[in-house]
Amino acid sequence: MPRESMRSKRERAVEFCGRMEERYGDVGGALDFGNPFELVISVLLSAQTTDVAVNGVTPELFGRWPTPQALAAADPADVGEVIRRLGFWRSKSRHCVEAARMMVGDFGGEVPHTMDELTRLPGVGRKTANIVLEKAFDTVDGIAVDTHVYRIATRLRFTNAPTPLAAEQDLLKLLPHELWGHVNEQWIHFGRELCTAQHPACERCPCQDICPSAFRVNGNPKRRRRAQG
């Protein structure tokens, strides 16, 4: 494929977002939460774990420690017993308590409202901070790039960055600010439904005409049929 101009790439990226908007609209998140504190802890717990699994442990977690002050006073070992079914539960339990202690000690018992402050919390990176800012404070300061968003952006050749963190910066340059807010949820749905990691359904994809990787990804059913024929 010849080298693509930045203008052409931007046009493709905007067109892709338009198709995602048409297909998925204003989809909500899958995590259950009632306030910013519950959201930041839930997103922290969701790393490399399904939202369903997180929703399975948070009722007991927030029932026992419903505020930053309560969680800050908890023993990480006790928190670990509650979230034990989650991946990396030991480090997550420690981060939950440490993050709560920082909220109490540095932010008056509240969840901070800025990217710089949120990313100071143990276990909170830009992805988590972007989600919290948007869903809790209606502030869009970036794009939450998880494994789905990173995979899709790479396949569409919107980025060749080696990490999701670096890929976010490429997407921010490509897309106008008004499109940033829906990227994470819409692309997650697209990644789960069609652009899956192992067997992308390119033959059913509404974006195959603008995707340089269509029918070229390892594990794509049509690619396998061609190889066998």
Side-chain angles (χ1 to χ4, degrees):
M1 180 179 178
R3 183 177 178 84
E4 184 177 24
S5 69
M6 182 58 71
R7 177 178 178 179
S8 173
K9 188 179 294 187
R10 284 197 179 103
E11 290 174 350
R12 276 199 308 115
V14 171
E15 174 65 21
F16 179 75
C17 285
R19 297 185 191 187
M20 293 297 97
E21 179 69 23
E22 182 177 352
R23 189 176 187 89
Y24 300 109
D26 189 11
V27 292
L31 290 172
D32 297 332
F33 66 95
N35 54 58
F37 165 67
E38 292 183 0
L39 175 61
V40 71
I41 297 300
S42 295
V43 181
L44 187 158
L45 293 176
S46 71
Q48 300 186 30
T49 302
T50 67
D51 293 341
V52 171
V54 173
N55 291 338
V57 302
T58 49
E60 181 179 356
L61 180 69
F62 298 136
R64 294 182 62 177
W65 302 289
T67 65
Q69 291 83 354
L71 189 57
D75 185 332
D78 293 335
V79 175
E81 288 302 312
V82 174
I83 67 169
R84 194 182 185 93
R85 74 185 77 169
L86 304 183
F88 303 97
W89 61 271
R90 289 186 179 86
S91 60
K92 288 178 180 179
S93 62
R94 185 176 67 254
H95 286 154
C96 284
V97 174
E98 291 173 348
R101 288 173 179 170
M102 183 173 286
M103 290 180 212
V104 173
D106 294 2
F107 302 108
E110 302 291 335
V111 175
H113 291 51
T114 70
M115 175 65 71
D116 288 343
E117 291 174 337
L118 278 166
T119 53
R120 285 177 54 195
L121 299 177
V124 175
R126 276 193 62 91
K127 184 195 80 169
T128 297
N130 275 320
I131 293 172
V132 172
L133 286 172
E134 179 189 353
K135 295 188 178 301
F137 304 118
D138 198 27
T139 299
V140 179
D141 198 31
I143 295 172
V145 179
D146 66 353
T147 55
H148 292 289
V149 175
Y150 182 56
R151 178 176 70 252
I152 292 164
T154 301
R155 286 178 177 171
L156 283 160
R157 299 187 190 172
F158 295 155
T159 182
N160 61 0
T163 65
L165 184 63
E168 181 193 0
Q169 299 308 309
D170 289 339
L171 291 175
L172 297 182
K173 294 173 185 175
L174 277 181
L175 297 171
H177 184 272
E178 61 266 24
L179 297 181
W180 294 359
H182 285 176
V183 166
N184 181 260
E185 294 292 354
Q186 290 178 348
W187 292 25
I188 284 175
H189 277 70
F190 180 65
R192 289 173 176 165
E193 180 190 3
L194 295 171
C195 199
T196 58
Q198 296 301 320
H199 304 294
C202 297
E203 68 279 3
R204 295 190 290 113
C205 178
C207 303
Q208 59 176 259
D209 59 311
I210 59 172
C211 178
S213 302
F215 303 108
R216 297 169 185 256
V217 176
N218 289 336
N220 181 270
K222 183 167 287 190
R223 182 185 178 94
R224 293 202 305 275
R225 287 197 295 271
R226 286 175 177 172
Q228 293 167 357

